[in-house]
Amino acid sequence: MSSGEKVAGTVANYVDERTGAAKWLKKNLTKVFPDHWSFMLGEIALYSFIILLLTGVFLTFWFDPSQRDVIYHGSYMPLNGLQMSAAYESTLHISFDIRGGLLMRQIHHWAAILFMAAIVAHMLRVFFTGAFRKPREFNWIIGIGLLTLGIVEGFLGYSLPDDLLSGTGIRIAQAIIQAMPIVGSYLSFFAFGGAFPGTAFIPRIFTVHVLLLPGIFLALITAHLMLVWYQKHTQYPGPGRTEKNVVGFPFMPVYMAKAGGFFFVVFGVTAFLGAVASINPIWYYGPYTPTQISAGSQPDWYMGWLDGLVRMAPALETHAFHHTISWNILIPGVIVPGIFFTFLALYPFIESWMTNDKREHHLLDRPRNAPNRTALGAFGITFMMVTLLNGGNDLIATHFALSISQITWMSRIAVLVLPPLAFVITKRLCLSLQRSDRDLVLHGKETGRLVRLPHGEFVEVHEPLSDEEAWSLTQHEQLPALEFKDTDEHGVRRPGGLMNKFRVKVSRANAEAIAKPDTDDLKEIEHH
């Protein structure tokens, strides 16, 4: 044993005698994690957040979060001698005069785009597979909180340079704040330190962007990972996998090596995008002035659906009691997003209420086996896509020679018609796939070989499924719909009659499914 190994052993023994760390490390470093590509979506979000922290620290060394007026005398000659804020001037300085500054800016922005995309993809995977069910309801709520904070953090981040594009976004945000009844004007004056645009907003959102929200992110991500570690990871159904075990690879060394390598893959992809794909070229937009707006203004994609909602809202205002309520801003900017995110956060409890299922679930669902949930997901995605497309209605109008009025009315109709249509079509598709699985279990795989029977009939030969394949298609549970009687066993009327009737109806809709093959079905097939 070398001297270095002896020193390391002595230090490890010293720490273990005082903390008992060896037993804890032995238990946790051998913890088993399931292996599936979809579980890496959450890791992409985690690694993107780390990249954001690293590049953000670099950018804070030279960024000046101030709205004081300065005259630009930098390397970008088209703006030379122009009056602008110190925030915009320092961003130009980072982009053109700091070695690696533009690369870091673009890596930071691409990492933010990837961070939000990974969160959305991860939460879609969790939603469609039912990974939010007991005991993971709190982790789902934490995920919704991270998604919401990510939207706010991203908006504040690309507002910091104080260019014409970001200033337009801030102006829209101020309008949404002012649309809140009674308190809107007070909140706007508080946020901007007076009348818009003021001189206090950039310093304030800088503090929130680099200190407050990252701290909250770190706390929520830590809590999220600790809950995943404590509750064990969900897994897809398969041989040897039950609700009480985990089949996979140990944390050390297998999973740690894969995760470490994947971090560098994510970092490499982000760095490549930052090097070759220009994003947010603020020198094209110019400094923000309240009297100007750039044509074709588009926010980042995770804010685009909110912008699209505001653009499609009809001009509705109410004047009463010396107050004006701008419904065309309040409904799309506050009420609809509030309802959407509240429903998402409460959905685990809503589904448990519909099914009366209070058990723990560690095995995931195939989306087709939960048709109502999958259809709800398709409803939400369709709603988001319609509003996101409408967020670029001006560019769509110029590229396809359409009028804004045509696009606006089409989006208004589509946002009301397409999501319910997507719900119905998706649910029918899920039930059709269930029926296909049932036929496959009962009749086997089609081989394409035709055989003529002695009496002249032609039949196709089917190859029976293996036990493992048949099990994978029939292992899922099919909970029956709830049933409530108006009276108890003593003839006394039960309380909450209307609510119970409503619960029965939604439970029946949620429980709609194609029955799995049972023993009698299999015996009948064997007989034929």
Side-chain angles (χ1 to χ4, degrees), residues 56 58-76 79 82-105 157 159-163 166 202-203 206 210 280 282-283 286-288:
F58 177 91
L59 295 175
T60 56
F61 290 149
W62 290 279
F63 181 72
D64 183 2
S66 172
Q67 288 175 274
R68 74 179 191 278
D69 291 331
V70 298
I71 302 299
Y72 179 69
H73 296 291
S75 301
Y76 189 68
L79 295 179
L82 196 66
Q83 181 175 309
M84 58 186 63
S85 68
Y88 185 66
E89 190 271 340
S90 63
T91 309
L92 292 174
H93 178 67
I94 292 171
S95 302
F96 295 109
D97 300 313
I98 301 300
R99 188 183 297 272
L102 181 58
L103 177 63
M104 285 296 180
R105 269 197 64 231
S159 298
L160 282 174
D162 200 30
D163 58 281
S166 67
I202 295 297
F206 177 77
V210 305
N280 197 26
I282 61 164
W283 49 91
Y288 177 66

Side-chain angles (χ1 to χ4, degrees), residues 396-407:
I396 294 174
T398 56
H399 282 72
F400 295 97
L402 299 172
S403 71
I404 290 291
S405 179
Q406 290 174 326
I407 299 173

Side-chain angles (χ1 to χ4, degrees), residues 183-225:
V183 300
S185 298
Y186 299 100
L187 290 176
S188 176
F189 268 66
F190 172 77
F192 291 91
F196 181 87
T199 58
F201 187 66
I202 295 297
R204 289 181 178 182
I205 66 171
F206 177 77
T207 303
V208 174
H209 180 73
V210 305
L211 182 63
L212 180 60
L213 290 184
I216 298 175
F217 266 112
L218 284 172
L220 291 179
I221 290 174
T222 301
H224 183 77
L225 295 177

Side-chain angles (χ1 to χ4, degrees), residues 274-294:
V276 304
S278 177
I279 188 170
N280 197 26
I282 61 164
W283 49 91
Y284 287 157
Y285 310 140
Y288 177 66
T289 57
T291 58
Q292 296 179 357
I293 183 172
S294 57

Side-chain angles (χ1 to χ4, degrees), residues 11 25 115 231 263 273 279 283 317 335 522:
V11 172
L25 287 173
F115 176 67
Q231 294 170 344
F263 168 76
L273 288 172
I279 188 170
W283 49 91
E317 287 188 350
I335 296 177
L522 294 175

